[in-house]
C-alpha cells in the first residue's frame, strides 16, 4: 500500500495553508517564517470552512473559524480600506477546484465579491484577498517541488493592472 503525502498533487492545495499554520506554532522567533507572508485565504466547501491569514504580531500563519467566517465579516475584511488602486478594482480571487475539470481562477471586484458571497452557490476552492504588487504588473512566485527537486519561478504578467482596455483576468493572471 502506497502512502501519498497530503501536499502531493498539482493545482490548489488547502493542505499547504494548514501545514503553514501548524509549522510556525511553538517555534522561537529565529525559526519562524517571517518572510513567508500569505494573503488572507478562505477555504470553501459550499460555505467558508477556515480562514488562514498572516499575523504580523506573531509573525506566523494563523487561522480563524466560527463567527469570524460569516460572509459579512469576509466582505468587510476583503474591502476595508481598499480604494481602487491606480485603476485596479480587483479585491479577491477565487481558485475553484473540481475533480472532473481543471482548476479555474476568477478575479473579483467589490460588487462581484458581494455577489459571490451572498447570491451564488459556492463551489469548492480558495478565496484569496488580492494584494497589490509593488510595481504596475501582477506577479507571483511559483514553486514546484518533489522529493528530488525544487523549482522556483517569479511570474510577471505583461499587462499593466491599471490598463482599462484589458479585461481583469488577462491583466491579473500569472
Amino acid at each position: 500500500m502506497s502512502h501519498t503525502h497530503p501536499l502531493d498533487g498539482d493545482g490548489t492545495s488547502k493542505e499547504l495553508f494548514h501545514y503553514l499554520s501548524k509549522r510556525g506554532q511553538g517555534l522561537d522567533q529565529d525559526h519562524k517564517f517571517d518572510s513567508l507572508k500569505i494573503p488572507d485565504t478562505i477555504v470553501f466547501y459550499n460555505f467558508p470552512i477556515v480562514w488562514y491569514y498572516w499575523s504580523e504580531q506573531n509573525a506566523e500563519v494563523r487561522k480563524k473559524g466560527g463567527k469570524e467566517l460569516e460572509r459579512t465579516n469576509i466582505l468587510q475584511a476583503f474591502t476595508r480600506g481598499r480604494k481602487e488602486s491606480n485603476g485596479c478594482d480587483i479585491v479577491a480571487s477565487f481558485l475553484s477546484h473540481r475533480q472532473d475539470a481543471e482548476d479555474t481562477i476568477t478575479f473579483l471586484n467589490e460588487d462581484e465579491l458581494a455577489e459571490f458571497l451572498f447570491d451564488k452557490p459556492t463551489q469548492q476552492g480558495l478565496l484569496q484577498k488580492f494584494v497589490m504588487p509593488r510595481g504596475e504588473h501582477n506577479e507571483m512566485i511559483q514553486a514546484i517541488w518533489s522529493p528530488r527537486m525544487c523549482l522556483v519561478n517569479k511570474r510577471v504578467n505583461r499587462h499593466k493592472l491599471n490598463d482599462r482596455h484589458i479585461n481583469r483576468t488577462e491583466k491579473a493572471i500569472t
Side-chain angles (χ1 to χ4, degrees):
M1 177 190 313
S2 70
H3 179 287
T4 59
H5 192 280
L7 295 178
D8 280 349
D10 292 333
T12 61
S13 176
K14 65 179 178 31
E15 289 83 9
L16 173 63
F17 295 98
H18 176 74
Y19 175 77
L20 291 174
S21 73
K22 294 293 183 195
R23 183 72 176 113
Q25 294 177 358
L27 295 178
D28 61 33
Q29 204 60 34
D30 293 337
H31 294 95
K32 289 200 175 193
F33 297 125
D34 58 348
S35 63
L36 181 67
K37 298 176 182 173
I38 65 163
D40 285 14
T41 302
I42 301 172
V43 178
F44 274 82
Y45 280 105
N46 296 325
F47 57 90
I49 301 292
V50 63
W51 184 337
Y52 296 101
Y53 67 100
W54 175 256
S55 170
E56 288 288 342
Q57 180 181 355
N58 300 313
E60 64 187 16
V61 175
R62 302 196 106 188
K63 62 182 180 177
K64 301 178 186 181
K67 290 207 176 265
E68 293 172 313
L69 289 171
E70 289 180 1
R71 293 169 193 253
T72 53
N73 292 341
I74 295 170
L75 183 62
Q76 287 176 354
F78 276 48
T79 58
R80 182 183 313 121
R82 178 89 178 160
K83 296 181 183 117
E84 194 169 305
S85 302
N86 298 329
C88 180
D89 64 347
I90 301 169
V91 296
S93 61
F94 183 69
L95 295 86
S96 62
H97 174 74
R98 292 193 345 234
Q99 297 294 354
D100 60 341
E102 289 186 13
D103 291 352
T104 59
I105 185 166
T106 305
F107 294 94
L108 307 166
N109 65 22
E110 189 170 340
D111 293 336
E112 292 165 338
L113 177 60
E115 181 182 340
F116 171 84
L117 291 170
F118 299 108
D119 299 334
K120 284 190 173 180
T122 309
Q123 307 170 34
Q124 174 181 335
L126 301 173
L127 179 69
Q128 286 193 315
K129 184 174 184 176
F130 186 76
V131 177
M132 286 297 294
R134 290 187 178 111
E136 296 178 318
H137 303 266
N138 197 24
E139 58 188 40
M140 70 171 279
I141 303 295
Q142 176 189 35
I144 302 170
W145 67 275
S146 75
R148 299 182 193 274
M149 76 154 201
C150 180
L151 177 63
V152 179
N153 291 313
K154 179 179 179 181
R155 301 185 64 158
V156 179
N157 189 297
R158 65 182 173 183
H159 301 292
K160 292 182 179 181
L161 280 170
N162 64 357
D163 188 341
R164 295 196 182 266
H165 298 96
I166 306 292
N167 75 44
R168 200 175 301 125
T169 301
E170 289 298 315
K171 61 186 177 182
I173 198 81
T174 50

